[in-house]
Amino acid sequence: MSLMRLLLIRHGQTSSNVIHALDTAFPGADLTDMGRQQAAAIPAALADEPIDAIYASALVRTQQTAAPLAAQRGLEVQVRAGLAEIAAGIYEMRHDEEAIRAYVDAVFSWQQDPSRAVPGGENMTQVISRCDEVVQEIAAAGHRTAVIFSHGAMIRTYAAARADNISFDVVAPHWLSNTGMVVLEGDPRGGWEMTGWCAEPLGGAHLDDPGAGDPTVMPQLDSQP
């Protein structure tokens, strides 16, 4: 199997991001004006990438973020439910510190206990399995470079679970802004290596909104509303 590149890009800013809400259910919030600006900057940022396919989760914000790149490349956005955010379960749409801490504690305990589930949500085995199915589909189609528009916790968790050179302990405190990107190289059979981590928006730091940070990053918990 040939070496593949997966460009895992977090969606643009939404109104739920602004209030740090755990918004994981379908269909989810639309992009804000800032989110649309972030999405519009992606084609230029990826101008040198030879992209074969574009995938997005079923949540509307990832498809809206993918749209400018898909239009510029003349590619269809292939929507797959397996790329959705890790379900928040009983904490859905909450933005208080207690809920965020409980969600993060469950997700980033998975290195030790992959069977532990977010209450009312998913465990690691379920999450990684559904994302693996999409990645295997991409590989079977023969795509060498695929862009996957997904979600902050999902991208960071998948990278930690599948890349040989990083772990949950490394990923947990590393933030990923809206339209930040993680790059994995390898293949489903031989394994993956994380070769790039762009924490800021792909279009540049001027498109970042620190007030709408990823609530699932460990160091931010004490400052959550």
Side-chain angles (χ1 to χ4, degrees):
M1 187 175 292
S2 300
L3 184 71
M4 297 168 55
R5 280 168 54 81
L6 302 179
L7 312 183
L8 307 172
I9 301 176
R10 188 184 175 208
H11 59 81
Q13 184 193 87
T14 70
S15 56
S16 294
N17 295 151
V18 174
I19 63 171
H20 296 191
L22 294 169
D23 179 5
T24 70
F26 178 84
D30 289 333
L31 297 184
T32 62
D33 288 342
M34 172 62 82
R36 294 182 188 279
Q37 292 177 44
Q38 292 167 338
I42 291 174
L46 297 182
D48 295 332
E49 291 284 354
I51 297 166
D52 301 313
I54 299 174
Y55 289 74
S57 79
L59 279 72
V60 295
R61 57 187 179 269
T62 59
Q63 296 167 59
Q64 291 170 341
T65 308
L69 180 64
Q72 192 264 344
R73 295 297 179 106
L75 294 170
E76 178 185 356
V77 178
Q78 302 188 59
V79 177
R80 298 292 183 270
L83 301 174
E85 181 59 294
I86 298 168
I90 65 172
Y91 307 117
E92 182 67 21
M93 290 308 297
R94 284 178 58 178
H95 56 85
D96 56 284
E97 183 175 332
E98 178 185 4
I100 293 169
R101 186 178 295 277
Y103 177 80
V104 171
D105 283 350
V107 170
F108 291 105
S109 72
W110 284 347
Q111 183 165 290
Q112 291 75 36
D113 184 5
S115 66
R116 179 181 175 185
V118 176
E122 306 169 282
N123 63 31
M124 176 178 166
T125 301
Q126 294 168 318
V127 169
I128 300 304
S129 176
R130 61 176 168 82
C131 195
D132 274 344
E133 288 182 6
V134 181
V135 172
Q136 289 162 4
E137 176 189 338
I138 293 170
H143 299 312
R144 298 292 297 277
T145 301
V147 180
I148 295 176
F149 288 91
S150 188
H151 306 266
M154 182 71 205
I155 291 171
R156 289 159 58 233
T157 299
Y158 192 74
R162 286 291 177 251
D164 296 331
N165 59 336
I166 57 171
S167 66
F168 280 88
D169 290 341
V170 172
V171 167
H174 281 71
W175 57 282
L176 193 65
S177 179
N178 294 110
T179 66
M181 179 174 73
V182 175
V183 180
L184 300 183
E185 295 191 16
D187 63 69
R189 185 175 303 170
W192 299 93
E193 179 180 3
M194 190 275 290
T195 59
W197 189 295
C198 178
E200 295 179 343
L202 285 176
H206 67 286
L207 291 172
D208 195 13
D209 181 359
D214 185 348
T216 68
V217 177
M218 289 288 196
Q220 294 185 349
L221 287 174
D222 291 338
S223 63
Q224 294 302 313

